[in-house]
Amino acid sequence: MIEVRNVTKTYGKKHTTFTALDNVNFTVPDGASVAILGKSGSGKSTLMHVMSGLDRPGVGEVIIDGQDILQLKQKEVDIFRSTKMSFIFQSFFVQANESCYDNVSLPLEIAQTPVRQRRGMIEKTLESVELLDKIKSRARDLSGGQKQRLAVARAIVNSPRVLFADEPTGNLDSATGEKIEDLLFGYNKKSGSTLIIVTHDPDLAKKCDIQIRIKDGTIESIIESQQPVIAHRPVARKIQL
Amino acid sequence: MKMRDTIQRAGRSLRQAKARTLLTSLAIGVGAFTITLSFAAGAGGRAYTDAIVSANTDVNELSVTKAPEQQQEGPQKYTDISSAGAASANPFFPASFLNNNDITRIVAVKNVESVAPNYSPSVKYITRTGQDKYVAPISTFSPSVKLKYVAGGANSNLSTDEIVLTQEYVKALGFASDQAAIGKTVDIVAERLSSFATSPEMETFTYKVKAVSDKSGLALRAQSTLLLSNEAAKNLYDYVSKDTRDYGNFALASVRVNDPDAAETVKTELARMGYEAQTAKDVLGTLNTFINVLQGILLGFGALAVLTSIFGIINTQYISVLERTQQIGLMKALGMRQRDVGRLFRYEAAWVGFLGGVIGSGMAVIAGVIANPFISEALSLGDINLLIFSPIAAAGVIIGLMIVSVAAGMLPARKAAKLDPIEALRTE
Ligand SMILES: Nc1ncnc2c1ncn2[C@@H]1O[C@H](COP(=O)(O)OP(=O)(O)O)[C@@H](O)[C@H]1O
Ligand SMILES: [Mg+2]
């Protein structure tokens, strides 16, 4: 369960402060798929960064499994991210010069997975994204859709409990994008992990259990299973699935 | 991240920027090359002087001269010394001579076993029945001086009637071979200097050939002189110089001590008494100082090259960090620790230093192995190598350069470690 409580994130100094997130509150139950929806610049990515401990706002709490990750030391947040979370980005960020194998190996190395176990995990994961035949290919030789599939493989190889995807289909055409969506939802359902997708695509958002709509850093609405449930309130509310 | 994985990733990153890595490494390689050569030359030089000194001197032996009299600044006052001290007019022997009186004083010093004045009698010539006459420089044989013999051998002392010839004399005196000379006799003819020039007094001294010495690359002396026992040399000297003005005066005397450790104390004692003594160590020290200075100069050049390459490493690593901003951001987003990111870049720097060290010292070894025969030939050192490479020195150079590289890569590595992943992953 992820609880976001009273999170406010401001950029800049005294005179030119800009509030990217303004008193944001919501709760995500385990295993849910969540869309963070909103126009460009509304604060979606910032919210995702805060939820994953990448960004540390001065105000608020982000409680994951009963633990406020904003109170953790940097080292502990890093361990948290390397073992329990993973990311997919709009522009893939696969390492072009490295083989698919080495790309997928990175999170295992960071999490210090024993060397003996790695190959099996990498092969299995590459197979699940249909890239096993490219295991030795360099990532630069892949197409856009293949690169994002590689990024998915890299994100799920370590079986994270929470998977963050920032505009995962933003750089892809609809057919290849759909494939990525299937992979993400497939992993979400099969593993029972939480999936959080940042998007401005309403069609993708509709496939999620929960849609959190953001406007100018505040929550406009939280829609559960395609029905509007709760309007934004400054107090935390739990959302039952 | 485990060290093994970090090292592998670091190596892979470098392989992906081959040209840049190689060029940076080569800059360090120049330093490694020079430093490795300077170590090799130093080691070789010291081994060479060591060999020279141990072949020509003895740890139990000091060579003693009379200390030069206190010299005043500016022109020397003229003093009329027409007698024994006349030799002080000789620029090569500014000191006065040792006489029998001195010898007696030196023998009395504690730990001194014996004192042998250095007799170098000037004889007329050496010859053999039916052969030509040859000029014969004569030195005293010392069992501690290691000579290379091509025939016979004289490892213990020579008897009074024995002589050690060089190969050149064997040939000149018409022996069939070096071996054939052993046991044969040769004649040395000396002239009594005090006899009248109009009716010179001559005498023939006959010696048995005990051994034939090779012309060794290590020999400082004795490579062209004939060696007689101390006793025989004294007899010749007595015959030649008796009743002359200089009789009983020696420029040099060899002092034997009963214990090598006593050499230093005897030296101090002799200095107090007004003699200058040189131990085997002193001779070695003088030669080695010279070599150390040369090595130091080479080392300085190497250090300068390394210093220059440091800036190359810093520059390359900074560019690398800038180029890989996104990669660093991603690794940090995936939970890679700051410490590990810094380490990754430091290892890359270490790899560059390792490569440079291996390339540089490897080239130095190759160059040295090729150059050694030519150097030995040019300096006529025989089979001695002037450049001695040791694996320890090479390993030291490589490890040292790795440390230097890591230190140089410290700032860029810090920059990478401190990078904000959100900034790094911003795409718009
Ligand atoms: N480092 C920053 N400094 C100042 N403003 C920032 C910074 N990062 C993001 N912002 C602003 O915060 C707002 C939210 O950004 P972001 O979360 O990236 O939006 P979205 O992902 O919804 O497009 C934007 O208006 C953006 O300009
Ligand atoms: Mg965004």
Side-chain angles (χ1 to χ4, degrees):
Chain A
M1 195 164 69
I2 305 172
E3 294 172 62
V4 177
R5 288 192 193 157
N6 309 322
V7 167
T8 298
K9 168 79 191 178
T10 52
Y11 284 114
K13 298 206 181 82
K14 278 168 194 159
H15 306 296
T16 55
T17 47
F18 173 80
T19 308
L21 291 176
D22 190 2
N23 200 15
V24 173
N25 289 277
F26 62 88
T27 301
V28 175
D30 282 341
S33 55
V34 182
I36 298 174
L37 203 61
K39 283 205 282 268
S40 181
S42 54
K44 306 184 295 294
S45 296
T46 307
L47 179 58
M48 182 191 101
H49 295 149
V50 168
M51 289 173 75
S52 60
L54 270 180
D55 202 346
R56 310 185 122 206
V59 185
E61 293 167 30
V62 175
I63 299 163
I64 301 178
D65 297 338
Q67 173 73 266
D68 182 2
I69 62 166
L70 300 184
Q71 299 299 322
L72 292 176
K73 288 201 197 97
Q74 185 61 49
K75 179 186 167 184
E76 292 162 326
V77 180
D78 286 335
I79 291 170
F80 209 95
R81 267 210 307 282
S82 68
T83 53
K84 294 198 172 151
M85 295 177 179
S86 211
F87 296 89
I88 291 161
F89 301 94
Q90 181 172 357
S91 15
F92 322 138
F93 294 142
V94 291
Q95 299 310 305
N97 287 320
E98 290 184 357
S99 67
C100 290
Y101 182 94
D102 288 330
N103 265 282
V104 179
S105 170
L106 178 63
L108 298 179
E109 291 171 27
I110 291 172
Q112 305 203 0
T113 309
V115 183
R116 275 169 283 105
Q117 294 170 26
R118 287 183 202 161
R119 178 159 281 276
M121 293 167 83
I122 293 168
E123 281 172 358
K124 208 180 90 206
T125 314
L126 279 173
E127 190 168 20
S128 73
V129 301
E130 293 166 39
L131 280 177
L132 190 55
D133 54 326
K134 301 275 183 196
I135 190 162
K136 286 193 180 116
S137 308
R138 288 214 198 180
R140 73 149 64 96
D141 299 330
L142 301 180
S143 71
Q146 287 174 323
K147 277 183 188 151
Q148 195 63 309
R149 262 148 58 200
L150 179 61
V152 171
R154 183 180 63 197
I156 64 176
V157 68
N158 211 13
S159 312
R161 298 308 301 151
V162 188
L163 181 55
F164 295 97
D166 194 348
E167 314 253 14
T169 57
N171 277 3
L172 302 173
D173 62 66
S174 55
T176 44
E178 210 149 309
K179 185 139 196 181
I180 297 299
E181 289 169 18
D182 291 345
L183 285 172
L184 293 180
F185 286 113
Y187 176 73
N188 167 244
K189 292 280 158 336
K190 220 170 87 185
S191 68
S193 62
T194 309
L195 173 65
I196 293 169
I197 304 179
V198 169
T199 183
H200 55 252
D201 175 4
D203 293 331
L204 171 55
K206 273 185 202 125
K207 295 179 186 170
C208 296
D209 302 328
I210 303 167
Q211 299 178 49
I212 300 175
R213 196 174 284 274
I214 304 194
K215 196 185 171 190
D216 298 336
T218 57
I219 292 183
E220 205 177 36
S221 68
I222 296 180
I223 303 163
E224 187 192 328
S225 301
Q226 296 168 353
Q227 303 153 31
V229 192
I230 315 149
H232 168 67
R233 299 260 168 78
V235 193
R237 282 252 186 148
K238 277 192 181 172
I239 296 146
Q240 307 299 334
L241 200 69
Chain B
M1 203 140 158
K2 292 203 178 89
M3 194 197 251
R4 200 193 98 137
D5 295 321
T6 319
I7 292 173
Q8 275 181 0
R9 285 219 165 246
R12 250 194 336 255
S13 303
L14 291 177
R15 249 176 284 137
Q16 280 154 17
K18 280 197 192 75
R20 192 165 66 197
T21 307
L22 206 68
L23 288 173
T24 319
S25 301
L26 280 181
I28 307 168
V30 174
F33 182 86
T34 321
I35 292 173
T36 309
L37 271 188
S38 81
F39 282 142
R46 277 187 296 270
Y48 176 53
T49 53
D50 209 56
I52 288 179
V53 170
S54 68
N56 292 285
T57 59
D58 177 2
V59 285
N60 276 317
E61 218 170 71
L62 292 89
S63 47
V64 177
T65 55
K66 199 145 194 178
E69 277 148 49
Q70 290 291 325
Q71 293 202 356
Q72 58 208 89
E73 293 279 311
Q76 294 282 301
K77 254 224 176 93
Y78 174 75
T79 44
D80 191 23
I81 21 170
S82 49
S83 62
S88 59
N90 184 340
F92 294 105
F93 293 101
S96 17
F97 285 113
L98 299 164
N99 55 33
N100 283 323
N101 209 357
D102 295 308
I103 308 288
T104 334
R105 283 181 69 201
I106 295 170
V107 173
V109 171
K110 199 172 158 241
N111 286 328
V112 170
E113 205 174 76
S114 65
V115 180
N118 203 336
Y119 306 105
S120 35
S122 32
V123 299
K124 289 294 272 192
Y125 56 83
I126 184 170
T127 190
R128 190 163 83 91
T129 31
Q131 299 293 328
D132 288 337
K133 300 165 180 173
Y134 295 94
V135 175
I138 288 169
S139 301
T140 323
F141 175 84
S142 161
S144 59
V145 173
K146 294 168 198 76
L147 288 175
K148 206 165 133 195
Y149 297 111
V150 288
N155 293 320
S156 56
N157 228 328
L158 283 183
S159 329
T160 323
D161 63 342
E162 285 174 336
I163 189 168
V164 176
L165 294 181
T166 68
Q167 271 185 300
E168 284 147 345
Y169 277 91
V170 168
K171 217 164 141 201
L173 293 173
F175 289 108
S177 71
D178 296 327
Q179 199 55 52
I182 304 298
K184 304 278 164 44
T185 58
V186 293
D187 297 327
I188 286 177
V189 175
E191 182 187 10
R192 193 185 277 272
L193 288 177
S194 57
S195 61
F196 292 105
T198 44
S199 56
E201 216 179 295
M202 301 272 204
E203 184 157 337
T204 303
F205 297 79
T206 303
Y207 301 97
K208 219 160 68 199
V209 178
K210 170 82 172 168
V212 179
S213 72
D214 186 15
K215 187 177 170 172
S216 158
L218 291 174
L220 280 182
R221 56 186 156 115
Q223 53 186 23
S224 56
T225 65
L226 309 174
L227 299 176
L228 292 176
S229 69
N230 195 47
E231 196 55 36
K234 183 179 186 303
N235 290 342
L236 269 179
Y237 173 80
D238 280 347
Y239 178 80
V240 171
S241 300
K242 193 130 196 164
D243 301 327
T244 64
R245 210 168 50 177
D246 287 340
Y247 181 68
N249 291 320
F250 311 99
L252 195 75
S254 304
V255 172
R256 277 195 79 78
V257 292
N258 51 20
D259 175 9
D261 297 331
E264 276 305 313
T265 53
V266 168
K267 182 187 165 181
T268 353
E269 178 59 22
L270 288 176
R272 213 182 47 75
M273 291 163 61
Y275 303 102
E276 260 180 14
Q278 251 200 339
T279 61
K281 250 198 215 140
D282 292 337
V283 178
L284 190 62
T286 317
L287 290 171
N288 277 352
T289 310
F290 183 62
I291 286 168
N292 290 345
V293 168
L294 283 180
Q295 184 188 10
I297 292 171
L298 254 180
L299 256 179
F301 279 121
L304 205 66
V306 170
L307 189 73
T308 327
S309 66
I310 284 178
F311 295 103
I313 297 173
I314 296 178
N315 183 47
T316 320
Q317 288 297 95
Y318 260 128
I319 293 173
S320 181
V321 171
L322 286 181
E323 251 181 16
R324 286 151 64 194
T325 303
Q326 283 188 352
Q327 185 194 5
I328 298 163
L330 177 86
M331 292 192 293
K332 293 189 84 174
L334 294 181
M336 187 151 158
R337 306 262 313 272
Q338 245 187 49
R339 193 192 64 187
D340 290 335
V341 175
R343 196 178 274 170
L344 178 67
F345 280 85
R346 283 201 300 278
Y347 285 172
E348 282 184 29
W351 268 116
V352 170
F354 176 77
L355 265 179
V358 168
I359 293 173
S361 47
M363 296 288 248
V365 172
I366 293 170
V369 167
I370 293 172
N372 257 336
F374 292 102
I375 298 172
S376 299
E377 172 125 20
L379 303 178
S380 37
L381 303 179
D383 52 359
I384 295 156
N385 287 333
L386 205 56
L387 297 169
I388 297 178
F389 297 96
S390 80
I392 295 170
V397 168
I398 293 171
I399 291 170
L401 286 179
M402 284 171 75
I403 293 172
V404 168
S405 304
V406 170
M410 220 64 138
L411 277 174
R414 229 177 95 89
K415 188 183 165 76
K418 296 266 180 230
L419 210 79
D420 178 6
I422 301 173
E423 292 295 324
L425 293 175
R426 197 184 296 286
T427 33
E428 58 268 42

